[in-house]
Amino acid sequence: MENNKNKNNFNQIQKELNLAEAYKLKIDDNLVVLSEDNVARVEAMIRTDSAYLKSYDDTIPHSSAYWFKQLKSEIEKTNESKKLKETSCETIKELVKAIDRENSTHINTDKVGLNEIPDRISEFTIKDFLNNLKNPDNTLELFNKIAEKTSYSTDKNHRKNPSFASKFCHYACFHLFKNLPAQDNYPIYDNVLKKFLPEYAKKYNVEYENADLKDYSRYRKLIEKIIKNAQSNISKNGFDHLLWYYHKGRM
């Protein structure tokens, strides 16, 4: 009887593994296929993973999603000529801390980063803040201001923060421009993507230079060209999530 029970358990394990095959990402030449179906699979996994929920669930107190909901409410009630520091100074501070915490960007290792970066953002008027998010092809002033080095030059961790800047702008667009084209304006500038983008550029016949991986404006354009040449019809957000999820364990 015991042997039969063990055999049934083994059979159930194998059955589950066989069923799992239908849900695996489609792969071609060791690269993940750029398709809506693959993106949907990754989005489903991300949205049910407790490690990533705080970036998207605005009902979780003190999550970045929660603070972006607060920021949107404050912006909608305020004249766009006002500076963010007049209406949303504390909200911006909480947003910077939340995004840094959720994405492990480590600006908290810089003694002034968590104070100086919110101050830079808060100096923008609401109009200019939104315009930067809506029109990255015309201006990256907000991104560049967030990314530039903090002024604490004696700190060994003093550095630029382009990855954090891209994440702030990415999530700002995602939450402030829901269901609008601008929601997809800022792909995340990530070491995983930077490492593997050349392989996708080669696969989809997109010419690139190493400088394209070091300059955020060119990095955005490279991603757009790959998506277009792949005829995948996926978003930059989906592209980012798909490549990051598949390749993060292959670094």
Side-chain angles (χ1 to χ4, degrees), residues 93-221:
K93 287 181 179 179
E94 294 297 334
L95 263 173
V96 169
K97 288 192 290 186
I99 294 170
D100 182 52
R101 188 169 58 244
E102 293 164 11
N103 292 275
S104 301
T105 40
H106 304 301
I107 61 169
N108 60 347
T109 62
D110 185 318
K111 293 180 180 178
V112 297
L114 286 174
N115 291 318
E116 190 167 319
I117 290 174
D119 288 346
R120 294 175 188 172
I121 298 169
S122 295
E123 282 298 323
F124 282 82
T125 64
I126 292 173
K127 180 179 180 179
D128 288 342
F129 175 74
L130 294 176
N131 184 55
N132 268 261
L133 294 174
K134 289 177 180 177
N135 300 291
D137 288 329
N138 298 329
T139 176
L140 284 172
E141 184 184 1
L142 175 65
F143 172 89
N144 290 332
K145 186 63 70 173
I146 297 171
E148 69 185 27
K149 283 185 178 180
T150 49
S151 60
Y152 199 88
S153 58
T154 61
D155 189 336
K156 65 180 180 180
N157 293 309
H158 166 67
R159 60 162 192 240
K160 293 183 177 181
N161 292 285
S163 178
F164 177 82
S166 72
K167 288 166 184 173
F168 182 92
C169 294
H170 170 83
Y171 289 114
C173 287
F174 188 90
H175 292 288
L176 298 179
F177 306 134
K178 186 176 181 180
N179 297 324
L180 297 174
Q183 187 178 25
D184 196 38
N185 275 352
Y186 282 84
I188 289 175
Y189 194 52
D190 182 88
N191 285 332
V192 176
L193 266 71
K194 283 193 288 183
K195 179 177 180 178
F196 291 99
L197 271 181
E199 295 184 35
Y200 287 86
K202 182 178 180 180
K203 180 177 177 64
Y204 294 106
N205 300 312
V206 176
E207 294 185 3
Y208 76 97
E209 300 175 3
N210 286 334
D212 296 335
L213 304 175
K214 298 176 182 179
D215 178 87
Y216 183 72
S217 178
R218 296 171 69 167
Y219 173 88
R220 285 184 67 251
K221 296 298 183 184

Side-chain angles (χ1 to χ4, degrees), residues 26-136:
K26 304 297 190 299
I27 309 300
D28 183 41
D29 294 330
N30 294 318
L31 298 180
V32 64
V33 174
L34 304 183
S35 68
E36 290 181 332
D37 182 69
N38 267 351
V39 169
R41 292 167 193 263
V42 167
E43 293 295 344
M45 289 184 277
I46 289 175
R47 298 307 178 90
T48 52
D49 190 323
S50 60
Y52 309 117
L53 278 178
K54 291 183 179 180
S55 296
Y56 303 101
D57 189 344
D58 61 22
T59 66
I60 300 176
H62 306 296
S63 66
S64 59
Y66 171 92
W67 288 114
F68 272 119
K69 183 178 180 180
Q70 176 70 19
L71 178 63
K72 185 174 184 179
S73 176
E74 292 167 354
I75 285 175
E76 289 174 345
K77 297 174 184 176
T78 309
N79 188 296
E80 64 178 11
S81 64
K82 286 186 177 292
K83 290 187 175 182
L84 286 167
K85 67 180 181 181
E86 298 179 62
T87 60
S88 304
C89 184
E90 292 304 314
T91 301
I92 296 294
K93 287 181 179 179
E94 294 297 334
L95 263 173
V96 169
K97 288 192 290 186
I99 294 170
D100 182 52
R101 188 169 58 244
E102 293 164 11
N103 292 275
S104 301
T105 40
H106 304 301
I107 61 169
N108 60 347
T109 62
D110 185 318
K111 293 180 180 178
V112 297
L114 286 174
N115 291 318
E116 190 167 319
I117 290 174
D119 288 346
R120 294 175 188 172
I121 298 169
S122 295
E123 282 298 323
F124 282 82
T125 64
I126 292 173
K127 180 179 180 179
D128 288 342
F129 175 74
L130 294 176
N131 184 55
N132 268 261
L133 294 174
K134 289 177 180 177
N135 300 291

